[in-house]
Amino acid sequence: MTAHSPERTTPGRDELDRTGLAAGVGSYVLWGLFPAFWPLLDPAAPVEVLAHRIVWTTVLMAAVLTALRGWRHLKGLGHRGRLAICAAAVLISVNWGLFIWGVSVGRVVEIALGYYMTPLVGVLLGVVALRERLRVAQWVALALAAVAVLVIGIGAGSPPWLSMALACSFGIYGLLKATVPVPAAAGLTAEGLVLVLPAAVYLLVLEISGAGTFLDLGPWHLLLMLSAGPATALPLLLYGVSARRIPLSTLGVLLYINPTLQFLWGVLAVGEHMPPARWIGFSLVWVALVVFTVDLVRRARRAQPVRSTV
């Protein structure tokens, strides 16, 4: 079970907590609007945007962690913990890079498919890596998702590699995060510290060579590049607030706000082509997620203790 698995619930959290619910919705809405944000950084290339995202997110999160006095959470990491942080850093940079590149080339619908598939990939990783046993509904959901990928692949002439890469990279990232018991803010800061030096060196070389855009396109572009840090950190911090206040089973349902907004942006705003095979594939994924979510909610309700009315 990964750190992002919506099956993990914490007793005592009120599912109707308005602050937690609002924070959860806010985090997923912001993530869902990312396809509208990254094109604002044009004409910067995807790799340059990724490097700026890493640098300014790390700077901001280091300041946040200092304000929260959270550096102590990183002091006790052992050798395995540090290795897990390094691997997680590589995976999240791959995930971010693929996302930014996919948006830049007009493949937002494929991105949405990847994030729809992420919870199902998390379940599959639980079987492969943690030897968890699946319930019947989970097997049905995975089978429907597999058929969906097959249908979309046949219709397009090739598998949806971008979707699968996004889902797998984020799924494995979540699995690694589950092995490092540190708060989300501390974890993201540690991952940034792993990546910030090569990202900063790359940006420095880019600017010296004249190929960078950071200083050459005016103050508005510069501010937009700097805003990549807050844009990354804010939804994560909102998610952290929500995860402390409402069950993760509820967050698992809210998760679908993110890819739904991405899908709508790709179809309605960007105007991406949706041939019949893609519609069929997405329909199968949506059915799989309904099966998965209904099973998840029923299991979470059965796991809740019966409250005495006396």
Side-chain angles (χ1 to χ4, degrees):
M1 191 178 297
T2 72
H4 300 279
S5 171
E7 283 192 79
R8 295 177 61 181
T9 60
T10 301
R13 278 187 281 188
D14 183 2
E15 190 170 353
L16 298 179
D17 184 287
R18 292 184 179 181
T19 300
L21 192 62
V25 171
S27 66
Y28 286 123
V29 167
L30 288 174
W31 278 321
L33 294 176
F34 269 8
F37 172 74
W38 299 117
L40 298 177
L41 276 60
D42 288 345
V47 178
E48 182 183 3
V49 173
L50 174 62
H52 276 286
R53 184 179 187 182
I54 290 169
V55 168
W56 303 122
T57 299
T58 305
V59 170
L60 179 60
M61 290 308 302
V64 169
L65 205 62
T66 300
L68 296 175
R69 299 180 180 179
W71 289 100
R72 67 185 186 277
H73 296 297
L74 301 178
K75 292 180 180 179
L77 286 176
H79 182 64
R80 292 184 63 181
R82 293 190 186 96
L83 286 176
I85 287 288
C86 290
V90 172
L91 284 167
I92 198 60
S93 66
V94 169
N95 187 271
W96 287 356
L98 288 173
F99 188 107
I100 294 167
W101 173 79
V103 170
S104 71
V105 296
R107 296 172 68 174
V108 178
V109 171
E110 280 190 63
I111 291 172
L113 178 62
Y115 286 105
Y116 274 128
M117 292 167 56
T118 296
L120 302 176
V121 169
V123 171
L124 184 60
L125 287 171
V127 175
V128 175
L130 305 179
R131 297 185 179 180
E132 294 179 349
R133 297 182 63 181
L134 297 187
R135 298 183 296 279
V136 173
Q138 292 175 315
W139 279 117
V140 171
L142 287 174
L144 287 169
V147 174
V149 171
L150 183 64
V151 169
I152 292 173
I154 292 174
S158 64
W161 294 115
L162 177 59
S163 303
M164 293 190 291
L166 286 168
C168 290
S169 60
F170 197 75
I172 300 172
Y173 170 76
L175 187 65
L176 287 170
K177 295 277 281 185
T179 68
V180 184
V182 296
L188 182 61
T189 306
E191 292 155 17
L193 292 175
V194 173
L195 301 167
V196 69
L197 182 58
V201 169
Y202 172 77
L203 290 175
L204 183 61
V205 171
L206 208 62
E207 291 299 326
I208 292 174
S209 67
T213 66
F214 185 58
L215 300 175
D216 297 334
L217 298 180
W220 178 242
H221 181 75
L222 186 147
L223 287 174
L224 282 172
M225 295 293 255
L226 291 174
S227 69
T232 299
L234 180 58
L236 176 78
L237 295 174
L238 287 173
Y239 177 88
V241 170
S242 186
R244 288 192 298 270
R245 289 175 172 266
I246 64 177
L248 294 188
S249 58
T250 305
L251 274 179
V253 176
L254 296 179
L255 165 70
Y256 305 128
I257 295 173
N258 172 18
T260 299
L261 289 175
Q262 293 170 354
F263 176 79
L264 292 174
W265 182 264
V267 173
L268 301 179
V270 181
E272 291 188 34
H273 182 50
M274 289 290 293
R278 182 174 274 191
W279 278 115
I280 294 171
F282 265 88
S283 299
L284 289 171
V285 169
W286 290 328
V287 172
L289 291 175
V290 169
V291 172
F292 175 79
T293 304
V294 169
D295 175 71
L296 178 67
V297 171
R298 286 179 176 174
R299 184 175 175 82
R301 287 178 177 175
R302 287 198 299 266
Q304 291 178 352
V306 178
R307 296 181 180 179
S308 174
T309 58
V310 178

